[in-house]
Amino acid sequence: MATATHQIVGQSPLRKEGANKVLGRAQYIDDITLPGMWFGATVRSTIPHGRISSIAFDPGIPWHEFTIVSAADIPGENTIVHLSKDHPCLAVTNVNHVAEPILLLAHPNRALLPAAVAGVHITYEELPAIYTIEESEKKEQIIWGEGENANTFKTYLMQKNQTPIPDEVWEKADFIVEGEYRTGAQEQLYIENNGVIAEYDAEKGVTVRGSMQCPFYLVHALELVFNLPAEKCRVIQTETGGAFGGKEDFPSVIGSHAALLAMKSGHPVKICYDRAEDMAATTKRHPSRTRHRTAVSKEGKLLAGEIDFAIDGGAYATLSPVVLSRGTIHAPGPYHWPYITVRAKTMATNIPPHGAFRGFGAPQSIFALERHMDKIAKVVGLTPEELRRRNFLTTGDRTATGQLLNDPVDMQHLLARALDESDYRAKREQFDRENPTSTIKRGIGFATFFHGAGFTGSGERRLNSEVAINLDSKTGRPLILVSSTEFGQGTNTILCQVAAQTLGLPYEDVGIAQPDTHLVPNSGPTVASRTAMVVGKLVERASTQILQRLRDDANLPTPHTPADFKRAAIQYGKELGNLEVCVRYESPVNIFWDDDTYSGEAYPAYAWAAYVAEVAVDTTTYSASVTNFHALQEVGKVLHPILAAGQIEGGIAQGIGYALYEKCLWVNGHLANNQMTNYIMPTSADLPPIHVTFEEVPSPNGAFGAKGIGELPMDGPAPAILNAVEHATGISFSEIPLLPEDIFERMTRTPNAGTESLDPDIAGPVFSEATA
């Protein structure tokens, strides 16, 4: 055992990189200059779909001073590999979305690049474009694939027990409730835009530094673009100012572009997008459409459900198949379904490709489900909380994928605690009394949900992630070697906490290396709520092995003090040389996933939550605002309470923006509001008091029992808010973002004759009574 030092896990030490950021010492990519460095820019398509007819260069520009790169200069494959190779690095003959890269320019004077980009004149033969899921489904215009897969990047069919829903279930149901729900695109809006610096050496290969989440993703992209082995593709993550998924896949694009310019120019090349280009050209959250058809008994028990889940993938597949996968698995929510069928697809459109964003498909499908659950409650005549109580999953149940819930699950308790702490019932009664005579309509609503931690299904086994810890032979100081990146969420801090606690050392005595693919092993991407649970567990295992090696070979006593550890580490270095321990991911014995039947253990662990939102709807301005928010979650062991609460608060802030503010306005394929003056996000003045509380039920699969936490808070705010808006107004809204003009249109709509409700679903065939 280690020494009885003070507890480190579960406490909130200072962030590892905090001092450098506060004191201005942190070096972001645009702070870095290399000798002889040039600057790069991208010439992009101005139309959504067409053939390139000609490219002309303005004669007034001294083009001999510039480096110009086209697809013909690519030494390897003209592709940006994500999950497939459909995404060209540079367009050759056709363009499939506005802002698609066609040429790259470099010059030693950054100020000359905007005029040069404007001086490249491209003519096109325009082709019909499609912008929506519905247009893509019609297949009147084929922009991707052929035959039955035309315009369809990926499909999934998920059926509980691989069993279709029997007809008699629908026939015997007391109610069949239907609904359609939509979510819009959302911009990640990280503080620091995408940026990289690339170098090229004919012997050594390519080196790219940049703001990113997943260094080894970029290594793989460079291998293909440059036809080089992995050892000649080096990627170094620099200090990264936010990501939220937007720097998962896109650095493969900008990194490849800068490296091509470096190769041809013979200089290091920096490309840093400004805000307008970053918003117009990079990936966003996938828009979605979800259709529910649910069989329910008069007692409020879910009997069967059909869910059709579709997302807009944009012009190329990128990460859409795995976003669709998570959305599919989360679509049934934390409820017991005797029968469930989920049909899912991602469709191609002539919009810039959509990609990773915090939550990764789950916010879309959970929004639909939690709005639909409130609709079912209204139809059956139950309160929203009672309907959920009668259908919650619990320990020993099986999820929609057939996964047995062995770990403790108590959604009944989570919901009861969340409603009590938010004073839900009293406020609901209060608002019901006050709203008829007030121009400010107030409401309260909630959402209950879960989020799987780690890669879906067999993903972690395929990643085969590796972590190393190296002991400095002179100082005895341990250094964690991982490719997991820090971009504000606390990776460096929590991994050092885990190592320090396991090694019995002060937190300050443990270091972590900056991710550099020539120096650190591939511990997998920093995504999917996997860092604390999966990588943290590997750090814990590596630390345990370090202790064992020192006890076996350097006489480390049991228990030991930090001084004992230092002495043993230095002794080991003198006698046996450098000590570095590497460990690889070992899949839990009870995790099996079948990709063919889409069934099995989808995730090693789940986080569970109940969120309660209070809203005010001003019937003079028709604006909705969130006035109070309670967030209760069970996330296993909380490693760092302050960072954990910050993750929840930040996710809720993004969720409020997703629900009420942030609308991507596409006009003929162009993002018309690609600046922060007209892309409206909530400021601190728009956010309510956020009350964050945790339940801790440790998971055996995570470091000290930790589960994933980063994506969970993105899932629940939007449905909780719209459930509250319905309580306030009596109107059921089914699409986000919900803007003042949407509320105005519905609240001022003249009801049809004989119709008592302004809700078109309630006024029309929301449900059918299957039995008399």
Side-chain angles (χ1 to χ4, degrees):
M1 61 179 288
T3 184
T5 57
H6 66 282
Q7 189 73 15
I8 300 170
V9 166
Q11 302 301 310
S12 297
L14 294 176
R15 300 175 67 110
K16 280 293 181 181
E17 77 287 357
N20 284 339
K21 289 180 176 177
V22 170
L23 296 173
R25 294 194 298 251
Q27 293 283 294
Y28 295 87
I29 192 64
D30 214 14
D31 297 321
I32 298 170
T33 299
L34 299 182
M37 187 176 75
W38 285 24
F39 299 89
T42 309
V43 178
R44 301 180 180 277
S45 166
T46 57
I47 67 167
H49 191 207
R51 298 185 184 93
I52 298 172
S53 300
S54 66
I55 300 177
F57 296 87
D58 191 321
I61 292 175
W63 293 107
H64 65 280
E65 297 178 4
F66 291 79
T67 292
I68 303 172
V69 166
S70 70
D73 296 302
I74 296 173
E77 296 184 49
N78 182 17
T79 186
I80 301 295
V81 64
H82 304 288
L83 300 172
S84 59
K85 295 182 178 181
D86 69 320
H87 187 184
C89 181
L90 294 169
V92 181
T93 57
N94 287 57
V95 295
N96 286 306
H97 65 85
V98 169
E100 182 158 6
I102 299 173
L103 297 175
L104 306 170
L105 308 178
H107 194 277
N109 186 345
R110 177 186 258 174
L112 298 183
L113 285 167
V117 170
V120 179
H121 305 294
I122 303 175
T123 60
Y124 306 91
E125 176 192 345
E126 294 198 40
L127 298 172
I130 56 179
Y131 304 121
T132 67
I133 292 171
E134 286 73 21
E135 290 175 339
S136 186
E137 289 174 323
K138 291 177 182 178
K139 301 185 180 182
E140 293 175 356
Q141 304 294 331
I142 305 301
I143 62 171
W144 192 94
E146 59 187 10
E148 63 179 17
N149 294 321
N151 291 351
T152 308
F153 293 131
K154 186 67 177 179
T155 62
Y156 293 109
L157 173 63
M158 187 176 81
Q159 294 179 313
K160 188 171 184 179
N161 301 321
Q162 295 81 60
T163 303
I165 302 172
D167 291 340
E168 56 265 28
V169 174
W170 300 106
E171 294 165 359
K172 294 179 180 179
D174 296 300
F175 303 100
I176 297 174
V177 186
E178 299 179 351
E180 180 176 298
Y181 311 90
R182 293 175 181 266
T183 65
Q186 186 183 22
E187 163 65 28
Q188 293 90 349
L189 218 66
Y190 25 69
I191 294 176
E192 179 200 26
N193 298 327
N194 274 282
V196 297
I197 299 173
E199 301 172 85
Y200 181 85
D201 182 282
E203 295 298 322
K204 296 179 180 179
V206 181
T207 299
V208 179
R209 296 170 173 82
S211 179
M212 67 187 74
Q213 293 177 241
C214 310
F216 280 95
Y217 278 15
L218 179 50
V219 168
H220 188 35
L222 294 171
E223 288 180 65
L224 271 65
V225 170
F226 286 88
N227 191 27
L228 289 172
E231 58 267 23
K232 288 193 173 185
C233 300
R234 182 181 184 184
V235 176
I236 304 167
Q237 185 230 8
T238 56
E239 200 72 70
T240 297
F244 308 115
K247 296 174 184 174
E248 177 178 349
D249 50 337
F250 199 83
S252 295
V253 178
I254 188 173
S256 296
H257 289 172
L260 288 167
L261 285 168
M263 178 191 69
K264 191 168 182 179
S265 70
H267 295 270
V269 172
K270 176 190 285 187
I271 301 180
C272 289
Y273 295 161
D274 63 16
R275 181 65 66 183
E277 182 175 22
D278 198 292
M279 291 185 68
T282 68
T283 58
K284 299 180 176 34
R285 188 184 302 283
H286 293 71
S288 75
R289 182 200 66 205
T290 307
R291 292 169 174 160
H292 276 264
R293 183 170 184 254
T294 309
V296 193
S297 73
K298 61 180 179 295
E299 294 80 19
K301 297 290 286 185
L302 301 175
L303 304 176
E306 288 182 342
I307 304 173
D308 290 318
F309 178 56
I311 62 174
D312 176 351
Y316 299 111
T318 66
L319 297 178
S320 290
V322 282
V323 172
L324 184 72
S325 169
R326 187 171 283 266
T328 300
I329 292 170
H330 285 75
Y335 306 109
H336 173 71
W337 297 86
Y339 297 95
I340 185 76
T341 295
V342 183
R343 298 178 181 88
K345 59 187 177 183
T346 178
M347 306 302 296
T349 61
N350 293 117
I351 296 293
H354 297 297
F357 194 155
R358 188 179 200 171
F360 216 67
Q364 292 95 315
S365 61
I366 289 172
F367 169 77
L369 176 68
E370 286 302 290
R371 289 296 293 125
H372 193 63
M373 290 295 285
D374 267 30
K375 178 177 287 187
I376 293 170
K378 182 182 290 186
V379 169
V380 177
L382 295 173
T383 63
E385 59 268 32
E386 184 57 32
L387 175 74
R388 287 166 172 83
R389 284 197 186 98
R390 296 184 185 189
N391 293 284
F392 276 140
L393 290 168
T394 189
T395 308
D397 284 346
R398 291 189 180 273
T399 67
T401 67
Q403 180 169 357
L404 180 65
L405 295 174
N406 288 309
D407 295 345
V409 177
D410 194 350
M411 286 297 294
Q412 304 282 355
H413 166 69
L414 284 180
L415 178 57
R417 180 181 168 187
L419 297 184
D420 287 345
E421 292 181 352
S422 62
D423 205 14
Y424 172 86
R425 295 173 191 82
K427 287 181 176 178
R428 199 166 179 94
E429 293 175 2
Q430 174 192 343
F431 299 160
D432 287 341
R433 288 194 309 271
E434 296 174 350
N435 280 344
T437 58
S438 175
T439 59
I440 306 295
K441 310 296 184 183
R442 299 172 68 193
I444 188 167
F446 69 89
T448 49
F449 55 100
F450 66 173
H451 197 95
F455 263 49
T456 300
S458 53
E460 290 294 346
R461 188 178 291 110
R462 287 197 297 267
L463 283 174
N464 198 24
S465 298
E466 186 177 7
V467 161
I469 296 180
N470 179 278
L471 291 189
D472 187 299
S473 60
K474 294 181 179 179
T475 66
R477 188 172 191 253
L479 182 69
I480 300 170
L481 303 174
V482 293
S483 63
S484 303
T485 53
E486 171 68 56
F487 41 86
Q489 84 284 35
T491 292
N492 291 350
T493 300
I494 62 167
L495 294 183
C496 288
Q497 283 182 274
V498 169
Q501 183 77 43
T502 309
L503 294 170
L505 297 176
Y507 166 75
E508 295 75 18
D509 287 1
V510 178
I512 186 166
Q514 190 72 16
D516 177 337
T517 59
H518 274 197
L519 302 177
V520 303
N522 187 355
S523 54
T526 313
V527 300
S529 302
R530 66 184 298 274
T531 302
M533 187 181 76
V534 176
V535 181
K537 190 68 172 179
L538 291 173
V539 169
E540 185 181 2
R541 282 178 48 210
S543 300
T544 300
Q545 291 188 24
I546 286 277
L547 289 179
Q548 192 59 52
R549 294 280 289 276
L550 292 179
R551 290 192 176 110
D552 291 344
D553 301 325
N555 301 313
L556 178 67
T558 304
H560 67 267
T561 66
D564 292 331
F565 183 94
K566 181 177 180 179
R567 176 200 53 77
I570 293 173
Q571 177 185 331
Y572 188 103
K574 288 179 179 178
E575 297 178 357
L576 299 172
N578 180 60
L579 175 55
E580 183 169 299
V581 168
C582 299
V583 296
R584 283 196 178 275
Y585 175 78
E586 295 177 358
S587 178
V589 294
N590 58 340
I591 298 294
F592 299 99
W593 179 257
D594 189 326
D595 283 312
D596 294 329
T597 61
Y598 226 64
S599 63
E601 286 68 38
Y603 301 100
Y606 295 86
W608 309 81
Y611 283 8
V612 184
E614 295 177 45
V615 303
V617 180
D618 189 327
T619 57
T620 302
T621 64
Y622 298 96
S623 61
S625 60
V626 183
T627 58
N628 206 2
F629 203 100
H630 283 77
L632 171 62
Q633 42 268 309
E634 188 277 286
V635 294
K637 177 64 179 176
V638 177
L639 300 178
H640 191 296
I642 289 178
L643 286 178
Q647 283 283 287
I648 301 302
E649 291 165 359
I652 290 167
Q654 285 185 311
I656 291 171
Y658 190 40
L660 296 178
Y661 296 92
E662 299 181 45
K663 184 180 182 69
C664 290
L665 181 62
W666 304 100
V667 178
N668 296 325
H670 295 255
L671 182 63
N673 57 332
N674 62 321
Q675 51 192 330
M676 293 181 68
T677 55
N678 53 14
Y679 181 88
I680 307 302
M681 63 172 289
T683 68
S684 57
D686 301 307
L687 297 178
I690 299 174
H691 312 276
V692 178
T693 48
F694 294 102
E695 296 265 339
E696 294 185 86
V697 180
S699 166
N701 298 315
F704 291 95
K707 301 178 185 178
I709 193 174
E711 295 176 293
L712 177 80
M714 190 72 231
D715 296 342
I721 291 165
L722 262 71
N723 287 342
V725 169
E726 180 173 0
H727 176 229
T729 63
I731 301 173
S732 177
F733 294 93
S734 58
E735 184 170 351
I736 56 172
L738 180 63
L739 303 181
E741 51 265 40
D742 305 313
I743 298 173
F744 171 82
E745 192 277 329
R746 291 290 299 280
M747 293 192 77
T748 58
R749 178 187 298 176
T750 303
N752 295 328
T755 299
E756 296 181 357
S757 173
L758 294 179
D759 184 338
D761 290 331
I762 299 298
V766 172
F767 68 93
S768 59
E769 292 195 31
T771 58

